[in-house]
Amino acid sequence: MVELARRDLTTFWAALNVQGSPILVRDALLDFFPELIAAYGDAAALLAADFYDELRDVPASAARFTATLAAAPDSAQATAAARWGLGPLFTADPDPVQALLNLSGVAQRLVLQSGRDTISSAAFRDPVRTAYARVPTGPTTCKWCVMLASRGAIYANAKEAGEGNSYHGDCDCVPTPIRSKADYPEGHDVREFERLYAEGVGVGRDIPAET
């Protein structure tokens, strides 16, 4: 979903005169961006619900339950994120390349937000007590995400989740339902994340400076 959203964003951006009036670029982008996020956010939520239901390995006697889809980020949230992303166009030395990078990062975060919210909400509502772990999936993981991953499967309700349910731009972490150690994905080593966290390091990069 993310790559498709980024493809559509890049195609739309290429059709704009980003060297011209930044106000015209902003107005066009603010019309387009919320619709992009809504469309791909809904698709991400659907995939996440299927992911949760597939991983819900419980006895046949357990209460029946299916994940419900979280809503995509609303227009106000998408618009605010787009305005932030467009900031480099409104400087003394406009930087369209950085603006597109910003927009790509927030598009990734907002599209995945629907899927992540679907999984966390399902875990919180499941009649069979379920917690989720923060599982990094890419080649780079920042110090903040290492810290959250080191906690293991402790996120079982909104209060416990807290910052564990927040994600930055370009974050590749996936909230993954865990009921036993066997449920951790191959290669996910909580002790290794604890070691990295104790050393105060990430794997590859730190959190981007996003506001």
Side-chain angles (χ1 to χ4, degrees):
M1 289 301 105
V2 170
E3 292 310 313
L4 291 175
R6 283 175 162 168
R7 179 205 63 190
D8 288 356
L9 173 63
T10 300
T11 299
F12 183 83
W13 186 260
L16 299 174
N17 179 15
V18 295
Q19 304 296 335
S21 168
I23 294 175
L24 293 179
V25 172
R26 179 199 63 196
D27 290 348
L29 200 285
L30 293 183
D31 283 339
F32 169 78
F33 197 73
E35 294 182 0
L36 176 80
I37 298 304
Y40 285 106
D42 287 344
L46 180 60
L47 291 175
D50 289 343
F51 172 70
Y52 186 91
D53 293 340
E54 184 176 333
L55 292 182
R56 192 175 186 265
D57 183 17
V58 298
S61 59
R64 292 182 60 82
F65 176 83
T66 56
T68 57
L69 308 187
D74 61 27
S75 179
Q77 184 180 1
T79 297
R83 286 184 182 278
W84 171 83
L86 289 166
L89 290 185
F90 292 85
T91 62
D93 185 17
D95 188 345
V97 174
Q98 185 59 53
L100 180 57
L101 287 173
N102 289 350
L103 292 167
S104 179
V106 294
Q108 183 259 11
R109 176 171 58 82
L110 294 180
V111 166
L112 291 184
Q113 178 179 318
S114 302
R116 289 161 169 164
D117 287 350
T118 295
I119 293 170
S120 61
S121 175
F124 300 160
R125 295 185 301 104
D126 199 324
V128 177
R129 189 181 189 282
T130 303
Y132 70 86
R134 180 90 167 224
V135 178
T137 62
T140 59
T141 303
C142 70
K143 290 185 287 187
W144 188 66
C145 290
V146 163
M147 178 269 290
L148 295 172
S150 74
R151 296 176 176 176
I154 68 165
Y155 308 113
N157 57 56
K159 182 177 180 180
E160 291 174 353
E163 63 185 355
N165 205 35
S166 299
Y167 301 84
H168 58 79
D170 291 319
C171 177
D172 56 40
C173 292
V174 176
T176 303
I178 304 291
R179 291 195 178 88
S180 71
K181 291 183 179 180
D183 292 335
Y184 281 102
E186 183 178 356
H188 185 87
D189 188 340
V190 172
R191 290 188 176 181
E192 175 63 9
F193 286 122
E194 288 176 344
R195 183 188 68 79
L196 292 170
Y197 173 47
E199 294 179 1
V201 300
V203 181
R205 61 164 167 76
D206 218 333
I207 302 174
E210 181 181 315
T211 58

